[in-house]
Amino acid sequence: MHISELLAKVAVIGIPTRTNFRGVQLREIALIKGVKRWGEFSPFADYSVERDALWLKAALEAATEEFPVAVREKVLVNATLPEVPVGKVGAVLSWFPGSTTVKVKIGTQNDEDRIQEVFAHIPDARLRLDANGLFTIQQAQELITSLYNKYGHQIEYVEQPCASLKENQALQIPVPIAIDENLRLGEDISVINEVADVVIVKVAPLGGVKRALKVISQLDKPVVISSALESSVGMAAGIALAAHLPEEMTCGLGTVALLDGDVVSDSLLPQNGSVSVSEVEVRSELIEKYRLPQEDEEKWHNRISRAYQQMVVNEEREARS
């Protein structure tokens, strides 16, 4: 496909978020219309062209190929609690009705207050603490040990406490460690297997469902399929992957609830602690509602062009190896 053909199939939109999610208040997304369905290209602003190329590969796969066969009709999902004022915790949890596992972003000014508020609303909650690699070894050990002493086995795991695999391997904490960013950034899977107790797998940053399945086959630890704050278009791929895996798990695939809008008829929103496995129907009037101005479209066209060139280089390299 020539790049001009690809860009002709792109619609660039921006959907407001319901909270300030890691500094994002407008989720910018490039939708790509394919022969099977729409795909989503929405890497965050700080991604490199190498990372963008994988995300584009995932979007094109979703747009042009069949998803794997599902073995279940629903996927269990956790609630996701960003950094919000304590008084808003209950409202955010209500966006994930029925979810008793809660992923809490930590490394903020009000970590413990928000956690206490979670238990005020869901007394039997299971916590997944997500640090996004913010901590030094000492900071992680002190905070996680302190939280464990208070909440014990209600903490399921801490996700990416430190930035590097070496730092995470050096940690001595009483809580299982889940690895996310180190996998997304393409670090050595054999080392990840040594360090991780759990591995977070996201379809788009890994390059699509097929590539994610290949990665999973190389992991000898439990996996949690998660998302990257996508619309229902992008979320459908993660849900398809989770629904295809033989073991049922609670996934991080409910984050459409953090967006204040969508472009499909029936959004993939959590209900009764799960999200339905289904194809989504993109509505043209919703694309128009959220379409970004021409200058933003040009920015995304340029980004897609660079990612496409890198994707072609990567595929040629793989073909020679």
Side-chain angles (χ1 to χ4, degrees):
M1 182 191 305
H2 191 273
I3 186 61
S4 60
E5 296 177 76
L6 173 57
L7 295 179
K9 301 175 182 179
V10 171
V12 180
I13 62 170
I15 301 177
T17 61
R18 298 171 81 176
T19 70
N20 185 333
F21 188 88
R22 293 179 62 188
V24 176
Q25 294 178 286
L26 182 71
R27 190 69 172 105
E28 295 188 16
I29 294 167
L31 300 173
I32 302 173
K33 189 172 186 179
V35 295
K36 293 294 182 183
R37 65 184 69 81
W38 288 80
E40 177 172 327
F41 175 75
S42 54
F44 292 101
D46 59 347
Y47 274 31
S48 67
V49 68
E50 284 281 359
R51 300 296 103 198
D52 283 4
L54 287 171
W55 202 302
L56 182 60
K57 190 174 184 69
L60 293 176
E61 177 193 81
T64 60
E65 299 183 26
E66 295 287 356
F67 285 145
V69 175
V71 299
R72 60 185 62 86
E73 296 180 350
K74 295 182 181 294
V75 171
L76 300 175
V77 296
N78 61 238
T80 298
L81 182 64
E83 181 182 6
V84 296
V86 174
K88 195 173 181 179
V89 168
V92 174
L93 295 178
S94 75
W95 303 341
F96 303 85
S99 293
T100 56
T101 299
V102 183
K103 177 176 176 176
V104 182
K105 295 290 184 179
I106 60 172
T108 74
Q109 294 296 318
N110 61 358
D111 289 347
E112 295 200 39
D113 291 337
R114 283 184 300 124
I115 289 171
Q116 289 177 7
E117 190 68 10
V118 168
F119 287 119
H121 292 275
I122 310 174
D124 59 345
R126 294 274 292 169
L127 299 181
R128 294 171 169 180
L129 307 176
D130 185 8
N132 290 116
L134 290 176
F135 297 132
T136 65
I137 293 172
Q138 182 176 349
Q139 289 171 335
Q141 290 183 167
E142 290 177 355
L143 177 61
I144 302 306
T145 300
S146 172
L147 292 174
Y148 178 80
N149 288 338
K150 290 183 178 181
Y151 304 113
H153 295 291
Q154 285 185 281
I155 301 175
E156 185 176 345
Y157 57 69
V158 57
E159 182 177 326
Q160 200 73 41
C162 302
S164 72
L165 281 174
K166 184 176 181 181
E167 288 172 309
N168 287 316
Q169 192 167 33
L171 286 175
Q172 296 181 359
I173 55 176
V175 172
I177 294 173
I179 291 299
D180 176 12
E181 280 85 351
N182 297 133
L183 179 67
R184 176 173 63 79
L185 295 173
E187 298 189 41
D188 192 328
I189 289 180
S190 63
V191 181
I192 290 173
N193 276 328
E194 292 177 8
V195 175
D197 299 295
V198 179
V199 181
I200 310 300
V201 173
K202 298 176 180 176
V203 167
L206 290 180
V209 172
K210 288 189 292 187
R211 281 176 169 250
L213 284 168
K214 183 178 179 180
V215 167
I216 290 169
S217 72
Q218 298 173 296
L219 294 168
D220 60 12
K221 300 296 170 64
V223 299
V224 171
I225 310 304
S226 194
S227 63
L229 197 61
E230 292 121 319
S231 74
S232 289
V233 173
M235 193 66 65
I239 291 170
L241 171 60
H244 173 71
L245 296 177
E247 293 187 18
E248 189 170 34
M249 69 197 81
T250 299
C251 301
L253 297 171
T255 55
V256 173
L258 297 177
L259 298 179
D260 193 17
D262 207 349
V263 291
V264 306
S265 300
D266 295 305
S267 294
L268 297 175
L269 291 168
Q271 294 291 337
N272 300 317
S274 64
V275 175
S276 296
V277 180
S278 62
E279 289 281 356
V280 295
E281 181 183 351
V282 174
R283 293 169 53 186
S284 58
E285 66 269 26
L286 290 174
I287 289 180
E288 293 308 314
K289 177 180 179 179
Y290 295 110
R291 190 182 289 274
L292 291 178
Q294 180 69 30
E295 58 266 28
D296 293 305
E297 183 174 280
E298 291 176 0
K299 176 189 71 176
W300 278 95
H301 279 198
N302 290 335
R303 191 170 185 182
I304 290 170
S305 297
R306 292 191 296 270
Y308 186 76
Q309 291 173 350
Q310 186 63 52
M311 187 183 75
V312 171
V313 169
N314 293 346
E315 290 176 347
E316 291 175 347
R317 185 186 302 136
E318 289 174 6
R320 291 193 300 268
S321 63

